[in-house]
Amino acid sequence: MEKLLEVEHLTKTFTLGSVISRVRITAVDDISFYIKPAEIFALAGESGCGKSTTARIIMGFEHATSGTIIHSGKKEAKNEKVWFTEGIQAIFQDPFATFNPLRMVEQYFFETIQNYKLAKSKREAIERIDAKLRLVGLTYEDLAGKYPSEFSGGQLQRISIARALLTDPQLIIADEPVSMVDASLRMSIVNLFKQLRDELGVSVLYITHDLATAYYVCDRIAIMFRGKIVEMGTVEQVLMAPKHPYTQLLRASIPEADTAHRWQGEIRLSDTEQDEYLRQGCRFAGRCPMVMDVCRRVTPPQFDVDGALVACHLYAETKQ
Amino acid sequence: MKLFRDLLRDYRFAFAFGVLCILVAFALLSFFSPYDPSRWGQVPRDLRPSAQHWLGTDSNGQDIFWTATFAVRNSLIIAVIAGVVSRIIAVIVGMVAGYKGGTWDRVLMFFSDSLLVIPLFLIIVMMAMLIRASLNLVTLGLLLAFFGWAWDARLIRSQILSLREREFTQTAILSGASTFKLVINEYMPYTTPLIFSTLINNMAWAIGLEITLAILGLLDLATPTLGTMLYWAINYQAILLGRWWWVMTPITLSVALFIALYWLSVSISEYLDPRTRVQRVGAG
Amino acid sequence: MKNNTILRTERLHAHYILDVYGKAKVIKAVNDVDLAIQEDEIYGIAGESGCGKSTLLKALAAAVEPPLRIISGRVTYRIAGAEVDVSTLTQEEKRKLRMEYIAYVPQGSMSVLNPVSRIRDTYRDFIESHISVHQKGEAFALAKEHLTELGLPVKILDAYPHQLSGGMRQRVTIALATLLKPRIIIGDEPTTALDVVVQRGVVQLLKDVQAKLKNTIVLVTHDMGVHANIADRIGIMYAGKIVEEAPTEKIFSAPTHPYTHYLINSLPKFGDKSPRESVPGSPPSLANLPTGCPFHPRCPHVMDICKQEMPGYTQVASNHKVACWLVGEGTHGKAA
């Protein structure tokens, strides 16, 4: 099977606190996944689950403590801050922070073209910019001479995608791309991802906490909890028939815009996050309704359950 | 030009700019001076202001009006040298320390902190005494520049540190920008107001220190500056003898210069402040 | 019929009047809003960012400060059976009403909880500034009792805010806001920055509080899912106007205004991968509103009259009113 990006045993630890009381937090704990060409892959979970750290490592803004990242068969070169920005581009959460508010938006487009030598003349550059902007439903005229504050959040996010497309990347990393965009405009962004996948064969690593849009737009999904991938498979498998108790809780907690499906029953919340990071064994054990003895001692490995990977001792009987 | 028109709407800027223009014009008059500022006894001593000597004459036999034109010019030269050179040091140190971080940061901040904790005034006095023979306008400016950058480098560093975490830094990196381009294109617009306001503050500081050093008699007293003018006035007991025109001229000029520089600094930094700038950009 | 309206606005206009380098700029954040919020009701206000919903809350909470100004219309509370116009209250009266009669829960808890003092000290300061406490420890006992009632662990009183998780902080803030059993609770996106599981916990707490106190909650959020789970009635706000108002079930089952229609249908649902569309175009700037119906530049059913005149409300069913020319020429509000 062809793989565009492979992440193997990625681990990232941060050290918090002073010299006296040092706490090591494993933000990303030995995770492995891959992304196929022309696929939208979701890395989903709550804040602090390590999904954004993973994205930052892949983008090269952060160094992994251990583990490898392989892009189109090439390994990450060490000591190189940006190792393959031509093939991998990114868009960010806050469209208003993506561009410097004191600079005109088009400058980023011209600079990308200049830095990667994508055009020979100014006219050619504008043609290329215009072509990419048309993919997201805008034109160069909409952009020329304007500052970020003159656009709406949804427009800026589309402009951001167009900028990412300038280098013809095979993979776009989208870190919470719609969480700060108005609900009524979200679909226009996620539909773009579908369109890019289907028409240009671009893969998207979709980092999100929003499982509903993930279900709508993604092919496969990995659910992260406190640095670990607890469940991974197709969105149908993971979201329509969740197997890990955490995924089940997450799935049940999503407020559905349907008055027939109001929340039932009460839930338990964790009081502090650090405890769960430092916990031995399964990190969900403290809140899991089906907790067993083994959960508190042994970190569960990933079991293959009907094609999906589930890291939970409940599925230990099935073949590994 | 729009920038200038916007700024002129601020009364503080308009006033400060006007005063500064007058002072600069005044300093430029020195090129047409009928007297040589380094020679004494060219005019009768201790004359009150009159049609012939607008601001009177002093006990050294110099015309105060024309001497003052040289004094303002020379003080401004010292201030500009000190301000500009120390800004260059501060910007380079602050940006490298802020962006590179790690060892660079630690070493550079060690130097700047060292300059901040030593008793600056005493050191400058000592240095001035040591190199008094070769102390001219340029070397004095450089001496002040060397001691005037540390705090501002820290300010710039802290600003870069926070800018580095903003998402547009990542956008620029993904656009393939080199570190140099990143700093110039992305961070400079934010640091410019800081550089401007500290430049003007630093110039005011340099003028003040020059006056102090001159009154202590540590400078070349034959070169007229605002400081040396005051030195001679004090030396000849001008206040006691009622020669107010001699004392008041450098004092009035210094005060005008200080107020003008201060208001200029306040209004420009307010105008260039990124928050208000973003508002104006949005308002078209 | 007994009058149960506790919070009412009448033809309320609230604008920001700014001075941007000599040029006056008017931001029309709230335009002609009529609300009649009942006792024992959770009223949801839904809308996108920049639709004026936070400004409306400020007006409802009697926290109008320059540059925001009430241009016309009024906000009234019903206190002890009598309607009181908020604009006639003095600063001191407003201060007394705040937290005792009307409480405010903001999006972030950090503006409420002092980061350098323990939760118990924040509670004590709060209690002592509102009710006279005679004995030492009485405030603490009161705080403890209140937390137990809401099912929150009492040990959090000894913690500093940064030691608590975001969800716990938000619940502590809600507990604080409800300590004096206010008749109205106003929540400005109280769950927006939270994770889904935590959000559910916070919504659960709000519902519990409301069920206990039988008071009124006005909840602003852009998350239709939260509205579906908690609100009794929903007002859809667009460009400073309430364009549709109906019981929650009606809003979701029979959205009538084209904007509401888009809002509901653009939400992804589990088990349904059919393509969904966003509302075309972008929300208008409140500083530069289009003429007529503010939605007309984005509306797929736009007619000539929409560009010229703002439609009044039409009562399409009991409790369900819509401001749209598609559903006939309603008269303003009071028609039904």
Side-chain angles (χ1 to χ4, degrees):
Chain A
M1 183 174 44
E2 199 192 347
K3 289 171 185 170
L4 180 64
L5 184 88
E6 251 186 297
V7 173
E8 283 174 355
H9 304 292
L10 195 71
T11 299
K12 174 79 186 173
T13 54
F14 291 104
T15 314
L16 294 183
S18 58
V19 187
I20 309 149
S21 64
R22 215 166 250 223
V23 184
R24 278 166 68 84
I25 285 198
T26 310
V28 178
D29 191 356
D30 190 22
I31 66 166
S32 304
F33 65 89
Y34 62 88
I35 300 171
K36 290 186 280 192
E39 176 185 59
I40 303 179
F41 181 82
L43 206 52
E46 298 179 279
S47 59
C49 73
K51 57 188 193 299
S52 289
T53 309
T54 308
R56 286 178 59 85
I57 293 171
I58 297 172
M59 286 186 275
F61 295 136
E62 203 111 48
H63 281 295
T65 311
S66 65
T68 49
I69 297 168
I70 301 163
H71 168 50
S72 309
K74 279 183 297 214
K75 274 201 186 178
E76 169 191 11
K78 282 279 173 203
N79 305 323
E80 208 178 315
K81 200 158 190 183
V82 182
W83 47 299
F84 41 51
T85 47
E86 218 172 325
I88 299 184
Q89 281 287 340
I91 62 170
F92 303 106
Q93 176 172 17
D94 183 353
F96 293 100
T98 303
F99 300 105
N100 189 333
L102 298 180
R103 304 186 70 207
M104 283 183 276
V105 177
E106 61 177 331
Q107 283 175 293
Y108 286 92
F109 284 76
F110 285 114
E111 275 163 28
T112 307
I113 285 186
Q114 198 188 353
N115 292 331
Y116 290 104
K117 300 186 177 56
L118 297 169
K120 289 186 194 72
S121 64
K122 173 127 182 165
R123 228 192 70 215
E124 208 180 309
I126 290 177
E127 270 170 27
R128 190 180 177 95
I129 293 170
D130 192 60
K132 299 299 178 191
L133 281 167
R134 277 178 198 282
L135 285 172
V136 301
L138 294 162
T139 62
Y140 176 69
E141 260 80 70
D142 297 330
L143 199 73
K146 284 193 181 164
Y147 288 89
S149 56
E150 294 172 71
F151 296 99
S152 70
Q155 277 174 324
L156 277 178
Q157 205 58 298
R158 282 189 284 153
I159 291 170
S160 184
I161 294 172
R163 191 212 59 80
L165 288 173
L166 275 179
T167 61
D168 292 327
Q170 298 106 8
L171 175 66
I172 290 179
I173 296 172
D175 190 354
E176 298 272 12
V178 296
S179 73
M180 295 187 74
V181 175
D182 283 317
S184 69
L185 297 173
R186 280 184 190 166
M187 283 303 119
S188 66
I189 308 287
V190 291
N191 283 339
L192 261 179
F193 292 141
K194 281 188 163 182
Q195 183 197 331
L196 295 179
R197 174 193 64 189
D198 299 340
E199 291 172 16
L200 303 177
V202 175
S203 295
V204 179
L205 173 59
Y206 184 70
I207 312 270
T208 188
H209 68 274
D210 181 354
L211 296 186
T213 55
Y215 174 80
Y216 173 72
V217 72
C218 295
D219 302 308
R220 286 189 309 129
I221 188 169
I223 306 284
M224 283 186 80
F225 178 69
R226 304 284 183 245
K228 287 254 179 213
I229 289 181
V230 295
E231 190 164 352
M232 179 158 65
T234 65
V235 287
E236 296 291 340
Q237 285 169 332
V238 175
L239 295 175
M240 294 317 286
K243 292 178 187 71
H244 195 285
Y246 174 68
T247 319
Q248 288 167 355
L249 171 71
L250 204 59
R251 175 68 179 75
S253 298
I254 292 160
E256 283 201 58
D258 187 347
T259 45
H261 291 106
R262 285 196 171 189
W263 286 319
Q264 306 293 329
E266 304 263 311
I267 53 157
R268 250 179 94 190
L269 298 180
S270 66
D271 297 346
T272 56
E273 282 166 11
Q274 269 191 8
D275 295 349
E276 287 189 337
Y277 276 110
L278 301 174
R279 199 184 289 281
Q280 274 204 317
C282 176
R283 287 169 180 175
F284 190 55
R287 286 194 276 157
C288 185
M290 283 167 280
V291 63
M292 302 176 290
D293 262 357
V294 62
C295 302
R296 299 190 201 279
R297 288 180 282 110
V298 184
T299 310
Q302 288 185 332
F303 300 105
D304 188 325
V305 187
D306 309 329
L309 291 175
V310 185
C312 178
H313 287 299
L314 285 175
Y315 302 93
E317 308 91 75
T318 53
K319 64 178 187 318
Q320 197 170 326
Chain B
M1 228 42 239
K2 182 179 177 302
L3 179 134
F4 190 68
R5 247 183 295 130
D6 276 349
L7 272 170
L8 273 182
R9 258 187 271 158
D10 186 345
Y11 71 94
R12 291 169 307 187
F13 180 85
F15 176 83
F17 187 74
V19 170
L20 210 61
C21 279
I22 293 169
L23 284 172
V24 169
F26 185 69
L28 290 176
L29 277 181
S30 64
F31 290 106
F32 306 103
S33 169
Y35 309 107
D36 180 347
S38 58
R39 287 180 58 193
W40 290 353
Q42 297 183 341
V43 291
R45 289 161 205 269
D46 302 328
L47 293 180
R48 288 179 162 275
S50 64
Q52 202 183 354
H53 302 290
W54 289 350
L55 293 173
T57 63
D58 66 14
S59 305
N60 287 334
Q62 290 181 309
D63 180 286
I64 290 178
F65 178 85
W66 293 106
T67 311
T69 60
F70 283 101
V72 171
R73 186 180 94 188
N74 290 339
S75 282
L76 280 175
I77 288 174
I78 294 171
V80 167
I81 292 175
V84 169
V85 173
S86 69
R87 266 350 65 190
I88 293 172
I89 304 175
V91 168
I92 292 174
V93 169
M95 289 203 166
V96 171
Y99 192 77
K100 287 279 178 192
T103 317
W104 280 97
D105 186 24
R106 254 169 281 146
V107 171
L108 290 172
M109 282 305 108
F110 174 76
F111 276 117
S112 88
D113 288 347
S114 309
L115 277 180
L116 284 176
V117 292
I118 57 169
L120 210 57
F121 181 65
L122 288 182
I123 299 282
I124 292 178
V125 168
M126 269 166 58
M127 294 279 287
M129 280 164 77
L130 281 175
I131 56 168
R132 199 172 159 187
S134 53
L135 211 53
N136 55 28
L137 296 178
V138 177
T139 46
L140 179 63
L142 291 176
L143 179 72
L144 295 178
F146 181 73
F147 288 100
W149 58 268
W151 184 250
D152 306 324
R154 267 207 164 271
L155 284 179
I156 291 170
R157 168 184 171 269
S158 60
Q159 200 175 27
I160 298 291
L161 277 180
S162 81
L163 288 171
R164 202 174 62 166
E165 297 305 315
R166 301 269 290 263
E167 277 177 0
F168 61 70
T169 300
Q170 300 178 1
T171 310
I173 292 175
L174 290 169
S175 302
S178 61
T179 305
F180 181 72
K181 272 191 185 167
L182 182 74
V183 168
I184 298 297
N185 291 335
E186 303 288 333
Y187 299 162
M188 265 311 207
Y190 282 88
T191 29
T192 311
L194 198 65
I195 294 170
F196 250 99
S197 64
T198 58
L199 167 71
I200 294 167
N201 289 339
N202 198 266
M203 283 171 65
W205 172 79
I207 292 169
L209 210 59
E210 187 273 327
I211 292 175
T212 317
L213 290 174
I215 289 175
L216 291 173
L218 292 170
L219 301 182
D220 171 17
L221 299 168
T223 313
T225 64
L226 290 171
T228 52
M229 274 187 90
L230 266 171
Y231 170 83
W232 288 117
I234 293 166
N235 204 32
Y236 280 97
Q237 315 252 342
I239 307 171
L240 277 179
L241 299 172
R243 290 174 195 137
W244 53 268
W245 59 91
W246 191 4
V247 185
M248 286 315 285
T249 303
I251 289 181
T252 313
L253 286 171
S254 323
V255 169
L257 200 54
F258 280 129
I259 293 179
L261 288 176
Y262 174 70
W263 274 6
L264 213 56
S265 144
V266 171
S267 58
I268 289 182
S269 59
E270 209 167 275
Y271 182 81
L272 291 177
D273 181 49
R275 273 160 298 181
T276 59
R277 262 177 94 186
V278 169
Q279 265 188 13
R280 270 197 314 276
V281 166
Chain C
M1 195 184 99
K2 195 171 161 257
N3 179 11
N4 276 332
T5 304
I6 186 161
L7 180 58
R8 186 196 294 280
T9 69
E10 281 167 19
R11 316 211 64 163
L12 185 71
H13 291 257
H15 299 172
Y16 291 92
I17 296 171
L18 303 173
D19 177 51
V20 183
Y21 273 77
K23 274 177 267 176
K25 193 174 171 188
V26 180
I27 295 173
K28 298 179 178 170
V30 174
N31 301 308
D32 205 11
V33 168
D34 280 328
L35 290 177
I37 297 167
Q38 310 296 310
E39 253 175 80
D40 195 10
E41 169 180 64
I42 300 182
Y43 187 86
I45 298 174
E48 299 171 278
S49 58
C51 75
K53 55 193 195 299
S54 292
T55 311
L56 178 58
L57 279 198
K58 277 186 197 151
L60 291 182
V64 175
E65 267 162 33
L68 176 62
R69 278 180 223 163
I70 303 280
I71 302 299
S72 63
R74 56 188 202 137
V75 179
T76 58
Y77 296 160
R78 200 158 55 83
I79 304 171
E83 288 220 344
V84 178
D85 187 336
V86 169
S87 63
T88 62
L89 296 172
T90 62
Q91 284 298 329
E92 179 56 25
E93 284 171 316
K94 275 190 211 166
R95 196 194 67 80
K96 264 205 81 60
L97 281 181
R98 214 157 279 156
M99 296 331 249
E100 286 173 44
Y101 178 77
I102 185 160
Y104 181 73
V105 181
Q107 178 173 352
S109 49
M110 274 318 196
S111 56
V112 179
L113 303 175
N114 183 347
V116 293
S117 62
R118 290 178 194 274
I119 304 288
R120 65 192 307 161
D121 296 326
T122 306
Y123 269 75
R124 199 197 50 223
D125 291 348
F126 177 80
I127 291 170
E128 285 177 354
S129 70
H130 282 278
I131 41 180
S132 54
V133 180
H134 303 296
Q135 272 176 315
K136 222 181 153 195
E138 196 180 325
F140 183 55
L142 202 67
K144 238 159 94 178
E145 188 190 300
H146 184 62
L147 286 180
T148 324
E149 222 170 275
L150 296 179
L152 298 177
V154 174
K155 65 171 189 208
I156 56 161
L157 283 172
D158 291 322
Y160 287 96
H162 65 88
Q163 291 172 315
L164 303 174
S165 64
M168 185 53 88
R169 274 204 297 270
Q170 191 65 327
R171 285 184 294 162
V172 167
T173 311
I174 291 172
L176 189 68
T178 56
L179 190 59
L180 302 171
K181 308 198 168 17
R183 296 313 304 154
I184 305 171
I185 300 171
I186 288 184
D188 188 2
E189 305 262 7
T191 65
T192 297
L194 304 173
D195 285 317
V196 282
V197 178
V198 179
Q199 167 171 290
R200 184 175 161 191
V202 170
V203 167
Q204 190 175 289
L205 178 70
L206 276 173
K207 276 175 107 166
D208 287 352
V209 166
Q210 199 273 334
K212 276 203 187 84
L213 298 177
K214 296 261 175 280
N215 62 359
T216 302
I217 295 183
V218 182
L219 184 75
V220 158
T221 170
H222 66 273
D223 191 333
M224 292 308 284
V226 171
H227 280 304
N229 270 285
I230 185 171
D232 298 321
R233 257 188 334 140
I234 294 178
I236 305 284
M237 199 162 177
Y238 186 81
K241 283 201 68 89
I242 301 283
V243 294
E244 182 162 4
E245 184 187 79
T248 307
E249 289 80 14
K250 286 263 184 56
I251 287 281
F252 284 95
S253 62
T256 307
H257 195 281
Y259 177 66
T260 319
H261 203 78
Y262 264 119
L263 210 55
I264 304 291
N265 286 310
S266 69
L267 298 168
K269 283 197 179 67
F270 288 105
D272 178 9
K273 277 202 163 194
S274 59
R276 298 188 176 273
E277 292 292 322
S278 274
V279 187
S282 300
S285 154
L286 291 171
N288 187 18
L289 287 175
T291 55
C293 171
F295 189 62
H296 87 253
R298 304 170 77 187
C299 185
H301 312 291
V302 60
M303 301 175 292
D304 276 344
I305 190 163
C306 305
K307 296 174 188 165
Q308 285 142 23
E309 234 180 293
M310 179 64 211
Y313 289 114
T314 306
Q315 210 79 23
V316 291
S318 68
N319 285 331
H320 188 168
K321 61 178 185 177
V322 185
C324 179
W325 288 116
L326 286 175
V327 289
E329 302 149 49
T331 46
H332 197 283
K334 284 141 205 142

